Amino acid sequence: MENALVPSGRERVPVKLWSEFYDLVAPHLPGCPFAAMDNALRQAAIVFCEQSLAWRFDHPAIAIEPGVSVYPFALPAESALHAILHAVLDGRKIACFAAGRDMEERNRAINLLQGVPSCIFGSADSFTLAPEPTASGVLILRVVLKPSLASTGLGDREFDEYREAIAHGALFRLMSSPKKPYTQLQLASTHQEQFGIKTGAAAMNAERSYIRLPLRTQIRDRA
């Protein structure tokens, strides 16, 4: 099946549909509906990305404005934010936290550096700088992505590199389903083990690959 084209900001990005995994999973799942396979593959891909941190994305640089602390993300289509890995504001690294957490650190940052953001809090579709900036600047982010809950597939690179791990995760989920024609608890355990092994290997490879890369500096205009 040919790639689907999905809009991502101003671009159209090729995506491999979940059906591209069928050759790895369908022969082992007699009687399993394709919709169930798609859901299991999507959920396995989400867990894989959350645990491995392997899908990393250099976010377009963002022009920071005085008095504005909340900014939207500009992420690829059908993706969702999992975490902010690195944030650099005007050449100075700032701390990254999840929204709603680490409030003690946030308050400490506000007290120490009034008007100079020293931490960033990410949520599903936006981030907040703390304290609120009082001067212009350029923010550069590297983030970890995962498929969205409505995703129809994966990008070409992620598909090529992680298809086997994701297939193992989907087979584990489906073979663990009770009282199905494809229920095989012993095989499910094997696929769970392989999923864990490949996810761990992907995590180590991702860290080695990205640890030496500089953050990108191309500035994105705010809409």
Side-chain angles (χ1 to χ4, degrees), residues 26-44:
H28 308 286
L29 301 167
C32 182
F34 290 138
M37 291 187 205
D38 288 352
N39 184 62
L41 287 162
R42 183 184 301 108
Q43 293 301 321

PDB file of all heavy atoms in Angstrom, residues 26-44:
ATOM      1  N   ALA A  26      -0.787 -10.050  11.095  1.00  0.00           N
ATOM      2  CA  ALA A  26      -2.005 -10.755  10.666  1.00  0.00           C
ATOM      3  C   ALA A  26      -1.850 -12.274  10.589  1.00  0.00           C
ATOM      4  O   ALA A  26      -2.764 -13.009  11.001  1.00  0.00           O
ATOM      5  CB  ALA A  26      -2.488 -10.198   9.327  1.00  0.00           C
ATOM      6  N   PRO A  27      -0.725 -12.822  10.093  1.00  0.00           N
ATOM      7  CA  PRO A  27      -0.609 -14.283  10.015  1.00  0.00           C
ATOM      8  C   PRO A  27      -0.687 -14.994  11.366  1.00  0.00           C
ATOM      9  O   PRO A  27      -0.994 -16.185  11.422  1.00  0.00           O
ATOM     10  CB  PRO A  27       0.775 -14.490   9.378  1.00  0.00           C
ATOM     11  CG  PRO A  27       1.047 -13.232   8.628  1.00  0.00           C
ATOM     12  CD  PRO A  27       0.434 -12.148   9.458  1.00  0.00           C
ATOM     13  N   HIS A  28      -0.429 -14.267  12.458  1.00  0.00           N
ATOM     14  CA  HIS A  28      -0.435 -14.855  13.794  1.00  0.00           C
ATOM     15  C   HIS A  28      -1.749 -14.611  14.535  1.00  0.00           C
ATOM     16  O   HIS A  28      -1.878 -15.010  15.697  1.00  0.00           O
ATOM     17  CB  HIS A  28       0.712 -14.265  14.619  1.00  0.00           C
ATOM     18  CG  HIS A  28       2.043 -14.340  13.943  1.00  0.00           C
ATOM     19  ND1 HIS A  28       2.744 -15.517  13.817  1.00  0.00           N
ATOM     20  CD2 HIS A  28       2.776 -13.376  13.331  1.00  0.00           C
ATOM     21  CE1 HIS A  28       3.879 -15.276  13.167  1.00  0.00           C
ATOM     22  NE2 HIS A  28       3.920 -13.987  12.858  1.00  0.00           N
ATOM     23  N   LEU A  29      -2.700 -13.956  13.867  1.00  0.00           N
ATOM     24  CA  LEU A  29      -3.936 -13.548  14.542  1.00  0.00           C
ATOM     25  C   LEU A  29      -5.168 -13.977  13.738  1.00  0.00           C
ATOM     26  O   LEU A  29      -5.900 -13.133  13.198  1.00  0.00           O
ATOM     27  CB  LEU A  29      -3.947 -12.028  14.728  1.00  0.00           C
ATOM     28  CG  LEU A  29      -2.782 -11.432  15.540  1.00  0.00           C
ATOM     29  CD1 LEU A  29      -2.747  -9.921  15.377  1.00  0.00           C
ATOM     30  CD2 LEU A  29      -2.908 -11.816  17.008  1.00  0.00           C
ATOM     31  N   PRO A  30      -5.425 -15.269  13.642  1.00  0.00           N
ATOM     32  CA  PRO A  30      -6.579 -15.734  12.849  1.00  0.00           C
ATOM     33  C   PRO A  30      -7.889 -15.171  13.398  1.00  0.00           C
ATOM     34  O   PRO A  30      -8.163 -15.237  14.594  1.00  0.00           O
ATOM     35  CB  PRO A  30      -6.516 -17.256  13.011  1.00  0.00           C
ATOM     36  CG  PRO A  30      -5.730 -17.491  14.258  1.00  0.00           C
ATOM     37  CD  PRO A  30      -4.731 -16.379  14.330  1.00  0.00           C
ATOM     38  N   GLY A  31      -8.677 -14.596  12.507  1.00  0.00           N
ATOM     39  CA  GLY A  31      -9.975 -14.078  12.907  1.00  0.00           C
ATOM     40  C   GLY A  31      -9.950 -12.710  13.559  1.00  0.00           C
ATOM     41  O   GLY A  31     -10.998 -12.208  13.976  1.00  0.00           O
ATOM     42  N   CYS A  32      -8.803 -12.083  13.639  1.00  0.00           N
ATOM     43  CA  CYS A  32      -8.720 -10.771  14.288  1.00  0.00           C
ATOM     44  C   CYS A  32      -9.160  -9.675  13.317  1.00  0.00           C
ATOM     45  O   CYS A  32      -8.636  -9.587  12.196  1.00  0.00           O
ATOM     46  CB  CYS A  32      -7.291 -10.491  14.754  1.00  0.00           C
ATOM     47  SG  CYS A  32      -7.095  -8.915  15.629  1.00  0.00           S
ATOM     48  N   PRO A  33     -10.104  -8.833  13.699  1.00  0.00           N
ATOM     49  CA  PRO A  33     -10.534  -7.737  12.817  1.00  0.00           C
ATOM     50  C   PRO A  33      -9.394  -6.740  12.587  1.00  0.00           C
ATOM     51  O   PRO A  33      -8.574  -6.497  13.474  1.00  0.00           O
ATOM     52  CB  PRO A  33     -11.676  -7.077  13.594  1.00  0.00           C
ATOM     53  CG  PRO A  33     -12.083  -8.078  14.621  1.00  0.00           C
ATOM     54  CD  PRO A  33     -10.867  -8.863  14.955  1.00  0.00           C
ATOM     55  N   PHE A  34      -9.367  -6.169  11.392  1.00  0.00           N
ATOM     56  CA  PHE A  34      -8.326  -5.199  11.081  1.00  0.00           C
ATOM     57  C   PHE A  34      -8.401  -3.984  12.011  1.00  0.00           C
ATOM     58  O   PHE A  34      -7.370  -3.409  12.374  1.00  0.00           O
ATOM     59  CB  PHE A  34      -8.438  -4.746   9.624  1.00  0.00           C
ATOM     60  CG  PHE A  34      -8.064  -5.816   8.644  1.00  0.00           C
ATOM     61  CD1 PHE A  34      -8.815  -6.011   7.497  1.00  0.00           C
ATOM     62  CD2 PHE A  34      -6.963  -6.631   8.851  1.00  0.00           C
ATOM     63  CE1 PHE A  34      -8.475  -6.996   6.586  1.00  0.00           C
ATOM     64  CE2 PHE A  34      -6.605  -7.623   7.949  1.00  0.00           C
ATOM     65  CZ  PHE A  34      -7.374  -7.804   6.810  1.00  0.00           C
ATOM     66  N   ALA A  35      -9.604  -3.593  12.400  1.00  0.00           N
ATOM     67  CA  ALA A  35      -9.746  -2.448  13.306  1.00  0.00           C
ATOM     68  C   ALA A  35      -9.066  -2.731  14.644  1.00  0.00           C
ATOM     69  O   ALA A  35      -8.445  -1.840  15.246  1.00  0.00           O
ATOM     70  CB  ALA A  35     -11.216  -2.121  13.526  1.00  0.00           C
ATOM     71  N   ALA A  36      -9.162  -3.972  15.122  1.00  0.00           N
ATOM     72  CA  ALA A  36      -8.511  -4.350  16.378  1.00  0.00           C
ATOM     73  C   ALA A  36      -6.988  -4.323  16.215  1.00  0.00           C
ATOM     74  O   ALA A  36      -6.260  -3.918  17.127  1.00  0.00           O
ATOM     75  CB  ALA A  36      -8.982  -5.723  16.832  1.00  0.00           C
ATOM     76  N   MET A  37      -6.514  -4.766  15.041  1.00  0.00           N
ATOM     77  CA  MET A  37      -5.070  -4.715  14.780  1.00  0.00           C
ATOM     78  C   MET A  37      -4.585  -3.267  14.772  1.00  0.00           C
ATOM     79  O   MET A  37      -3.542  -2.956  15.359  1.00  0.00           O
ATOM     80  CB  MET A  37      -4.748  -5.367  13.437  1.00  0.00           C
ATOM     81  CG  MET A  37      -4.935  -6.871  13.389  1.00  0.00           C
ATOM     82  SD  MET A  37      -4.317  -7.507  11.813  1.00  0.00           S
ATOM     83  CE  MET A  37      -5.298  -9.000  11.680  1.00  0.00           C
ATOM     84  N   ASP A  38      -5.333  -2.392  14.091  1.00  0.00           N
ATOM     85  CA  ASP A  38      -4.930  -0.985  14.028  1.00  0.00           C
ATOM     86  C   ASP A  38      -4.842  -0.380  15.430  1.00  0.00           C
ATOM     87  O   ASP A  38      -3.887   0.337  15.753  1.00  0.00           O
ATOM     88  CB  ASP A  38      -5.927  -0.186  13.202  1.00  0.00           C
ATOM     89  CG  ASP A  38      -5.835  -0.498  11.712  1.00  0.00           C
ATOM     90  OD1 ASP A  38      -4.904  -1.225  11.308  1.00  0.00           O
ATOM     91  OD2 ASP A  38      -6.694  -0.012  10.953  1.00  0.00           O
ATOM     92  N   ASN A  39      -5.830  -0.658  16.264  1.00  0.00           N
ATOM     93  CA  ASN A  39      -5.838  -0.107  17.619  1.00  0.00           C
ATOM     94  C   ASN A  39      -4.668  -0.642  18.436  1.00  0.00           C
ATOM     95  O   ASN A  39      -3.999   0.121  19.151  1.00  0.00           O
ATOM     96  CB  ASN A  39      -7.154  -0.447  18.314  1.00  0.00           C
ATOM     97  CG  ASN A  39      -7.238   0.188  19.695  1.00  0.00           C
ATOM     98  OD1 ASN A  39      -7.219   1.402  19.842  1.00  0.00           O
ATOM     99  ND2 ASN A  39      -7.312  -0.651  20.712  1.00  0.00           N
ATOM    100  N   ALA A  40      -4.403  -1.950  18.331  1.00  0.00           N
ATOM    101  CA  ALA A  40      -3.290  -2.539  19.083  1.00  0.00           C
ATOM    102  C   ALA A  40      -1.953  -1.990  18.602  1.00  0.00           C
ATOM    103  O   ALA A  40      -1.048  -1.733  19.410  1.00  0.00           O
ATOM    104  CB  ALA A  40      -3.319  -4.059  18.948  1.00  0.00           C
ATOM    105  N   LEU A  41      -1.809  -1.799  17.297  1.00  0.00           N
ATOM    106  CA  LEU A  41      -0.569  -1.245  16.756  1.00  0.00           C
ATOM    107  C   LEU A  41      -0.372   0.196  17.218  1.00  0.00           C
ATOM    108  O   LEU A  41       0.735   0.595  17.591  1.00  0.00           O
ATOM    109  CB  LEU A  41      -0.594  -1.318  15.228  1.00  0.00           C
ATOM    110  CG  LEU A  41      -0.412  -2.720  14.640  1.00  0.00           C
ATOM    111  CD1 LEU A  41      -0.896  -2.760  13.194  1.00  0.00           C
ATOM    112  CD2 LEU A  41       1.059  -3.150  14.725  1.00  0.00           C
ATOM    113  N   ARG A  42      -1.453   0.971  17.213  1.00  0.00           N
ATOM    114  CA  ARG A  42      -1.368   2.367  17.665  1.00  0.00           C
ATOM    115  C   ARG A  42      -0.969   2.422  19.140  1.00  0.00           C
ATOM    116  O   ARG A  42      -0.071   3.185  19.522  1.00  0.00           O
ATOM    117  CB  ARG A  42      -2.710   3.068  17.456  1.00  0.00           C
ATOM    118  CG  ARG A  42      -2.684   4.548  17.848  1.00  0.00           C
ATOM    119  CD  ARG A  42      -4.069   5.170  17.715  1.00  0.00           C
ATOM    120  NE  ARG A  42      -4.581   5.068  16.369  1.00  0.00           N
ATOM    121  CZ  ARG A  42      -5.575   4.252  15.991  1.00  0.00           C
ATOM    122  NH1 ARG A  42      -6.175   3.471  16.890  1.00  0.00           N
ATOM    123  NH2 ARG A  42      -5.986   4.213  14.746  1.00  0.00           N
ATOM    124  N   GLN A  43      -1.621   1.618  19.977  1.00  0.00           N
ATOM    125  CA  GLN A  43      -1.312   1.631  21.399  1.00  0.00           C
ATOM    126  C   GLN A  43       0.111   1.130  21.660  1.00  0.00           C
ATOM    127  O   GLN A  43       0.820   1.666  22.522  1.00  0.00           O
ATOM    128  CB  GLN A  43      -2.331   0.777  22.166  1.00  0.00           C
ATOM    129  CG  GLN A  43      -3.739   1.339  22.160  1.00  0.00           C
ATOM    130  CD  GLN A  43      -3.801   2.727  22.768  1.00  0.00           C
ATOM    131  OE1 GLN A  43      -3.139   3.023  23.756  1.00  0.00           O
ATOM    132  NE2 GLN A  43      -4.602   3.603  22.173  1.00  0.00           N
ATOM    133  N   ALA A  44       0.544   0.117  20.918  1.00  0.00           N
ATOM    134  CA  ALA A  44       1.903  -0.388  21.078  1.00  0.00           C
ATOM    135  C   ALA A  44       2.918   0.672  20.670  1.00  0.00           C
ATOM    136  O   ALA A  44       3.962   0.842  21.319  1.00  0.00           O
ATOM    137  CB  ALA A  44       2.100  -1.653  20.246  1.00  0.00           C
TER     138      ALA A  44
END
